[in-house]
Amino acid sequence: MTNTYTWLVEYMSCYPQAEGETDVVFVVGWRCDATDGTYYATQYGTVNVPYVAGDPYTPYADLTETQVQGWVWANGVDQATTEAALDTSIANEVNPPVVNPPLPWSA
């Protein structure tokens, strides 16, 4: 079965004032969930998103999750690598690479 992925923005940290703008995002907390319908895996992290004066600026209230996800991927979070790691986690749940059977002398 093919895994499905859900990318989420968990939070954004902002400077109240920076480079002449208001509520300038500088850190994004992100999470990616994956499932095959039975098994589930998640990975999360933070990424710095620099703003340079003069770059296009979107007011905080007008940001979309899609836009911020683009910042996450553009600033060091590799979408394909993250999803591949989640695929491995799910595969390891389905077929564990290590098991701990009961001790043979235990009842």
Side-chain angles (χ1 to χ4, degrees):
M1 178 177 271
T2 302
N3 294 334
T4 58
Y5 311 95
T6 304
W7 284 84
L8 303 161
V9 173
E10 296 283 286
Y11 67 89
M12 298 184 291
S13 297
C14 300
Y15 294 117
Q17 297 286 322
E19 303 295 344
E21 303 294 351
T22 302
D23 295 330
V24 177
V25 176
F26 69 95
V27 170
V28 175
W30 59 271
R31 185 178 91 220
C32 184
D33 298 329
T35 185
D36 68 356
T38 302
Y39 296 94
Y40 171 86
T42 192
Q43 209 172 58
Y44 58 91
T46 60
V47 65
N48 295 327
V49 290
Y51 173 71
V52 177
D55 282 356
Y57 178 77
T58 304
Y60 188 87
D62 296 334
L63 293 171
T64 66
E65 190 167 26
T66 300
Q67 179 180 4
V68 176
Q69 287 169 344
W71 295 350
V72 168
W73 299 321
N75 285 284
V77 177
D78 187 275
Q79 184 177 5
T81 300
T82 300
E83 291 175 0
L86 292 170
D87 291 343
T88 299
S89 293
I90 290 174
N92 288 342
E93 287 184 61
V94 174
N95 296 302
V98 176
V99 295
N100 295 310
L103 299 172
W105 54 87
S106 298

